[in-house]
Amino acid sequence: MQIVRFIFLILISTLLLISCAKEKQVKSVIQEKNLELQVLEAYEEGLNSLKRGDVLFAAKKFNEAEVLFPQSEWAPKSALMAAYSYYSQDYYEDAILELQRFVKVYPFYKDLDYAYYLLGLCWYEQIIDEKKDLQTIIKAKEKFIFLIKNYPETEYSLDAEFKIDIINDTLASKEMYIGRYYFKKKKWIPAINRFRAVIDEYETTIYTEEALHRLVEVYYTIGLKDEAKKYAKLLGYNYQSSKWYERSYSVFDKMYEKNKKKLKKDKKKNYSILKKFKSILSQNE
């Protein structure tokens, strides 16, 4: 009898444990569903605020959605949308902080390439003056290079390559600006270093031709004519039809510009004589 009672108690205890476990599981599922519903509501509210242009409230709601259910698939999406909200109205510092946090918290997220692209844009769009904004230029270039290296097949990498070309033009422009300043001040070595930097580091930019010409000028001025000829030949080989090649040519041939003007004058004079002669012929007819 005691054995039967013992077995009965064990069965009752087992049933109670199973019942409690099921109850907890049901409660957990309900709680999870409630959390997901709250996340969706916060996310939708963030989207509506973003559409209205209230980006600060939108970012707040997206952050709220992320915190409510950090384990859900909506968490990284919400974090990225919070960053985009700040970026959309030029709150670049806030956007950068959000994005830097994002890449640390969600290093394996499927849209990580977009996060790095947006980070590059935040720095890129702050570039105003190449003479002052060196930090923003360098940061933007770093982020775009990282994106191209790690996500080469994406559409964001294609645009990043285009923007790096523009950044390089900007950096080359800065080097040329400083180089011209040193040249005017007759600080030959610093001027040479700046013009050489353009050729060595930014050879695909629009400033390469001028940099070569300036080196011809500097070396010729300080008496290093062989060096000047070397850069003149390089300029002629690559850009023979450019105005900078003509200017470099005139450095060696002081009569070049004078002869060029005389030639134009003679052509104009000959044309005038020919026109007058034709006029006389037509009168005789």
Side-chain angles (χ1 to χ4, degrees):
M1 192 72 180
Q2 288 181 347
I3 294 171
V4 173
R5 183 184 290 179
F6 179 72
I7 292 170
F8 179 74
L9 287 171
I10 290 174
L11 287 171
I12 293 295
S13 300
T14 304
L15 287 170
L16 285 171
L17 286 170
I18 292 169
S19 176
C20 289
K22 283 185 177 178
E23 189 178 346
K24 284 181 181 178
Q25 190 175 2
V26 170
K27 283 182 179 178
S28 177
V29 170
I30 292 170
Q31 188 178 11
E32 191 171 302
K33 284 185 177 178
N34 286 336
L35 272 175
E36 191 164 350
L37 186 62
Q38 290 178 57
V39 168
L40 286 171
E41 285 175 356
Y43 188 88
E44 285 294 326
E45 200 172 345
L47 277 181
N48 292 331
S49 300
L50 182 60
K51 288 174 184 176
R52 292 195 305 268
D54 190 355
V55 297
L56 296 179
F57 186 74
K60 180 183 175 183
K61 296 309 292 185
F62 288 129
N63 285 143
E64 184 182 312
E66 180 191 6
V67 172
L68 277 168
F69 200 174
Q71 294 81 25
S72 76
E73 62 179 270
W74 291 96
K77 193 179 292 187
S78 299
L80 198 53
M81 285 302 295
Y84 177 78
S85 299
Y86 286 127
Y87 163 78
S88 67
Q89 290 292 329
D90 302 345
Y91 290 99
Y92 295 120
E93 289 185 14
D94 295 293
I96 288 167
L97 288 173
E98 283 286 345
L99 289 164
Q100 287 174 338
R101 182 182 69 84
F102 179 88
V103 297
K104 287 180 181 178
V105 177
Y106 308 105
F108 305 109
Y109 186 60
K110 60 183 179 67
D111 293 325
L112 199 63
D113 55 340
Y114 177 70
Y116 281 114
Y117 175 67
L118 198 58
L119 197 52
L121 285 181
C122 286
W123 290 110
Y124 179 81
E125 291 182 11
Q126 292 184 78
I127 300 170
I128 300 171
D129 185 349
E130 71 274 8
K131 302 176 190 69
K132 299 174 184 176
D133 300 328
L134 190 59
Q135 183 187 7
T136 54
I137 294 170
I138 291 170
K139 288 282 187 183
K141 189 174 180 179
E142 283 176 357
K143 300 307 175 189
F144 288 140
I145 287 173
F146 179 87
L147 177 66
I148 292 166
K149 184 180 178 181
N150 292 278
Y151 306 95
E153 303 301 321
T154 64
E155 58 181 309
Y156 307 120
S157 289
L158 289 174
D159 190 57
E161 286 177 6
F162 171 73
K163 284 182 168 54
I164 285 176
D165 287 340
I166 296 173
I167 288 170
N168 285 338
D169 276 344
T170 304
L171 291 169
S173 172
K174 181 181 177 67
E175 296 292 339
M176 291 302 300
Y177 173 81
I178 298 171
R180 291 187 208 104
Y181 170 80
Y182 284 138
F183 183 79
K184 286 178 183 177
K185 296 293 182 181
K186 298 182 179 180
K187 295 182 177 181
W188 312 121
I189 300 302
I192 288 169
N193 290 338
R194 295 294 178 169
F195 298 139
R196 282 287 302 273
V198 174
I199 296 166
D200 295 339
E201 298 173 31
Y202 312 110
E203 61 178 1
T204 59
T205 67
I206 58 174
Y207 295 97
T208 306
E209 298 171 46
E210 185 186 352
L212 287 167
H213 165 68
R214 298 297 178 188
L215 285 169
V216 172
E217 277 189 323
V218 175
Y219 282 121
Y220 190 89
T221 302
I222 62 178
L224 297 175
K225 294 184 180 179
D226 288 339
E227 283 294 308
K229 285 179 183 178
K230 182 179 79 173
Y231 285 105
K233 284 179 182 178
L234 189 59
L235 181 58
Y237 181 78
N238 292 284
Y239 311 99
Q240 192 167 0
S241 59
S242 76
K243 64 177 182 179
W244 297 110
Y245 176 68
E246 288 193 2
R247 291 186 185 184
S248 290
Y249 189 92
S250 69
V251 170
F252 294 98
D253 185 2
K254 300 298 181 182
M255 295 299 292
Y256 175 75
E257 289 295 329
K258 188 177 178 181
N259 291 338
K260 189 177 175 184
K261 289 177 183 178
K262 186 176 183 298
L263 185 63
K264 284 183 179 179
K265 190 176 178 181
D266 289 343
K267 281 183 178 179
K268 191 175 179 182
K269 185 179 178 182
N270 290 338
Y271 176 75
S272 180
I273 291 169
L274 182 61
K275 191 177 179 183
K276 189 175 180 180
F277 181 69
K278 284 181 178 179
S279 176
I280 293 168
L281 283 176
S282 61
Q283 285 176 9
N284 289 336
E285 289 175 357

